[in-house]
Amino acid sequence: MSVNVKFFASMRETLGQSELQIDIDTNQTVAGIWSRVAKDLPMPDNTVCAVNHTQATPETLVSDGDEVAFFPPVTGG
Amino acid sequence: MSVNVKFFASMRETLGQSELQIDIDTNQTVAGIWSRVAKDLPMPDNTVCAVNHTQATPETLVSDGDEVAFFPPVTGG
Amino acid sequence: MTVQICKGAFDPWQSIQTHQRDNLTDGQYGATATFVGTMRDFNEGDDVCAMTLEHYPGMTESQLEEIIAESKAQWPLQDALIVHRVGEMHPGEPIVLVACWSAHRAAAFDACRFLMEALKSRAPFWKKETLHDNSHRWVEKNTDGYSSH
Amino acid sequence: MTVQICKGAFDPWQSIQTHQRDNLTDGQYGATATFVGTMRDFNEGDDVCAMTLEHYPGMTESQLEEIIAESKAQWPLQDALIVHRVGEMHPGEPIVLVACWSAHRAAAFDACRFLMEALKSRAPFWKKETLHDNSHRWVEKNTDGYSSH
């Protein structure tokens, strides 16, 4: 199955990419997706994860076609 | 001595006057002024009193030239 | 720090912009909290078609200046503006504007609400409503400013 | 209930008036509480000369709509408006507008502050500051919204 992965703000700069499409096995978690895309970089403690525009946790399971995003704490307003 | 007395809103309508100048003895209180100007009408419980634009109590002493005001609870804003 | 009593209609959003242009420096403030009270066409279950606002010239202004001074003592405000309408007005027309400028939002929010509650409990203004049968009634007390759930 | 993401400068006072004219009925609301966040030329002790605001298209809008829905469930609001700037901006320019309309002031005040705090803690926006030596830095966290004394 295939998921779309996005990075924002300092996370985007650290990883040097903003978006990529990857093929994964079924029953993958958000943490599993991170390992696939971030290689040896551990996920920073304050990372916010989202699946399909809804906040998620590293344990959240992802499905085919999902959009998974990783970003630092928000600072708008 | 002489003081200027003012009434506002429903108090003005009840007493049928908005302002008058009266001559009084020295050592008068705000309550004493009320008795002079309101005749037999007891001061309503929720009456607000002010002397020279500052909130006062019925016991506040008034001096020559003071402006004494009586009005109901405020309802602005 | 400005207090204005208006005898005719005023546009609160224009007042904010004018005050900001004339009294504040771009880049120095980060937070502007404002409140506008507007005349409703209903109150206490009745239709209201007009309202007359009476005040106590002299004392009203000094009370408003005093509550602004109290807010300045309590919060790091850059500026504050209070505009209040008096005289006869109609539904949809603004009655009062309170605006606070500060570097950060907590002070602006807190001071704006403080000024509004202090104004409603201490500034000498009185409302008289005209109902549809052309009868009049004095508003006897303000609604609670803190129970909204 | 409206959410707008602006790629260029916006005038918050104009946005309020336009929204009010198009969505509200005169006489039906008595209270309008608003908050405007404006870019400062200082932060954390340093001079800031520009800022770039990044967002997550799609998620940002849906998060803002969700917090507005939460405010409607909690308070009797007649309407709410959120406008947020993205892209590059300069000191003195508005970043965010939150406006709430209600019959009475308590709901408008409470909901406006709730929306602002919820936006700052949950809506995906990120600020990157440009300092005077042309260096850049990401803002790492927002200031506290409740401690202002």
Side-chain angles (χ1 to χ4, degrees):
Chain A
M1 61 186 223
S2 159
V3 296
N4 195 27
V5 186
K6 292 185 171 185
F7 306 100
F8 292 95
S10 56
M11 188 74 78
R12 176 175 49 72
E13 291 184 348
T14 303
L15 294 175
Q17 54 190 350
S18 60
E19 183 168 2
L20 71 167
Q21 189 98 20
I22 57 168
D23 293 318
I24 54 163
D25 299 331
T26 50
N27 294 327
Q28 277 275 22
T29 62
V30 166
I33 303 286
W34 173 271
S35 305
R36 270 288 304 279
V37 297
K39 311 284 174 344
D40 297 333
L41 184 73
M43 195 191 301
D45 280 346
N46 60 4
T47 302
V48 184
C49 317
V51 174
N52 299 331
H53 299 170
T54 301
Q55 205 174 316
T57 68
E59 294 73 39
T60 302
L61 282 171
V62 299
S63 306
D64 188 36
D66 280 353
E67 177 170 305
V68 180
F70 300 96
F71 47 82
V74 304
T75 57
Chain B
M1 61 185 224
S2 160
V3 296
N4 195 27
V5 186
K6 292 186 172 186
F7 306 101
F8 291 94
S10 55
M11 188 74 77
R12 176 174 49 72
E13 291 184 349
T14 302
L15 294 175
Q17 54 190 349
S18 60
E19 183 166 4
L20 71 168
Q21 189 98 18
I22 57 169
D23 292 320
I24 53 163
D25 300 331
T26 50
N27 293 327
Q28 278 277 20
T29 62
V30 167
I33 303 287
W34 173 270
S35 305
R36 269 289 303 278
V37 297
K39 314 281 179 336
D40 297 333
L41 185 73
M43 197 191 298
D45 279 348
N46 60 4
T47 302
V48 183
C49 316
V51 174
N52 298 331
H53 298 171
T54 301
Q55 204 174 316
T57 68
E59 294 72 39
T60 303
L61 282 171
V62 299
S63 305
D64 188 34
D66 279 355
E67 177 170 303
V68 181
F70 299 96
F71 46 81
V74 305
T75 55
Chain C
M1 308 288 164
T2 305
V3 164
Q4 288 169 13
I5 305 294
C6 288
K7 292 197 172 109
F10 74 103
D11 178 338
W13 315 113
Q14 187 58 56
S15 298
I16 293 168
Q17 289 173 83
T18 302
H19 185 85
Q20 198 166 268
R21 186 195 64 212
D22 295 346
N23 297 274
L24 286 127
T25 305
D26 273 4
Q28 291 299 294
Y29 59 94
T32 311
T34 77
F35 179 84
V36 175
T38 305
M39 190 187 156
R40 282 174 286 119
D41 56 15
F42 60 95
N43 192 28
E44 305 279 334
D46 295 303
D47 290 346
V48 181
C49 56
M51 189 165 76
T52 304
L53 253 154
E54 184 172 331
H55 77 306
Y56 181 174
M59 180 167 177
T60 303
E61 292 83 345
S62 69
Q63 287 286 300
L64 294 177
E65 278 156 18
E66 187 177 308
I67 64 177
I68 287 188
E70 289 175 23
S71 72
K72 275 185 75 176
Q74 221 174 333
W75 291 284
L77 292 185
Q78 251 139 14
D79 209 346
L81 168 66
I82 297 179
V83 182
H84 204 294
R85 176 88 179 268
V86 293
E88 190 183 339
M89 66 195 71
H90 297 92
E93 294 180 1
I95 303 168
V96 61
L97 162 68
V98 171
C100 293
W101 287 265
S102 187
H104 298 285
R105 71 192 183 284
F109 270 127
D110 284 345
C112 185
R113 193 157 193 177
F114 166 83
L115 287 177
M116 196 55 211
E117 296 309 315
L119 181 157
K120 288 194 85 103
S121 65
R122 292 159 48 189
F125 290 107
W126 302 274
K127 286 175 181 157
K128 189 182 202 174
E129 296 174 335
T130 304
L131 305 184
H132 271 293
D133 59 3
N134 215 32
S135 65
H136 299 276
R137 68 177 180 199
W138 289 98
V139 175
E140 294 191 345
K141 64 186 183 69
N142 277 323
T143 56
D144 188 345
Y146 285 103
S147 63
S148 64
H149 281 263
Chain D
M1 308 288 165
T2 305
V3 164
Q4 287 169 12
I5 306 294
C6 287
K7 294 199 169 109
F10 74 102
D11 177 339
W13 316 112
Q14 188 58 55
S15 298
I16 292 169
Q17 289 174 84
T18 302
H19 185 84
Q20 198 166 268
R21 187 193 63 213
D22 295 346
N23 297 274
L24 286 126
T25 305
D26 272 5
Q28 292 298 293
Y29 59 95
T32 311
T34 76
F35 179 84
V36 176
T38 306
M39 190 187 157
R40 283 174 286 120
D41 57 15
F42 60 94
N43 192 30
E44 306 277 334
D46 294 304
D47 289 346
V48 181
C49 56
M51 189 165 76
T52 304
L53 252 153
E54 183 171 333
H55 78 305
Y56 180 173
M59 180 167 177
T60 303
E61 293 84 344
S62 69
Q63 287 286 299
L64 294 177
E65 278 156 18
E66 187 176 309
I67 64 177
I68 287 188
E70 288 174 22
S71 71
K72 276 185 72 177
Q74 222 174 332
W75 292 283
L77 292 185
Q78 251 139 15
D79 209 346
L81 168 67
I82 298 178
V83 183
H84 204 294
R85 176 88 179 268
V86 294
E88 189 182 341
M89 66 195 72
H90 297 91
E93 295 179 358
I95 302 168
V96 62
L97 162 68
V98 171
C100 293
W101 287 264
S102 187
H104 299 286
R105 71 191 184 285
F109 271 128
D110 284 346
C112 184
R113 192 156 192 177
F114 166 84
L115 287 177
M116 197 55 210
E117 296 310 312
L119 180 157
K120 289 194 84 102
S121 64
R122 292 158 49 189
F125 290 106
W126 303 274
K127 286 175 180 155
K128 189 182 201 174
E129 296 173 335
T130 304
L131 305 184
H132 271 295
D133 59 4
N134 216 30
S135 65
H136 300 275
R137 68 178 179 198
W138 289 98
V139 175
E140 293 191 346
K141 65 187 181 68
N142 277 324
T143 55
D144 189 343
Y146 286 102
S147 63
S148 64
H149 282 262

